[in-house]
Amino acid sequence: VQMLHGRRPTLAIDLPGHGDSGAARDYSVAAMAAAMRAALADLGTEEFDVLAIGASCALGADLAQDSNVKSLTVI
């Protein structure tokens, strides 16, 4: 996220069960992708790039199937 700072709007979503969010019952990639899609829809996001690092690469790949994802970068 730091490498994008100042270049374009950047959003880092705290997934359910991580950080300061409540515990999730389902930690599957599908459940996390659904949570991300819901959050992005609530924010009115139309197009976006996905940057996935480490274990989140499977989630990034799932999101990249959406037509509103402009690019996917995995690290």
Side-chain angles (χ1 to χ4, degrees), residues 9 11 13 35-48 68:
L11 177 66
I13 296 178
M36 291 279 293
R37 288 181 178 102
L40 292 165
D42 286 348
L43 293 169
T45 305
E46 294 179 9
E47 286 188 330
F48 56 93
N68 55 345

Side-chain angles (χ1 to χ4, degrees), residues 5 9-10 28 40 49 64 66 72:
H5 181 69
T10 304
S28 68
L40 292 165
D49 300 300
D66 296 354
L72 169 63

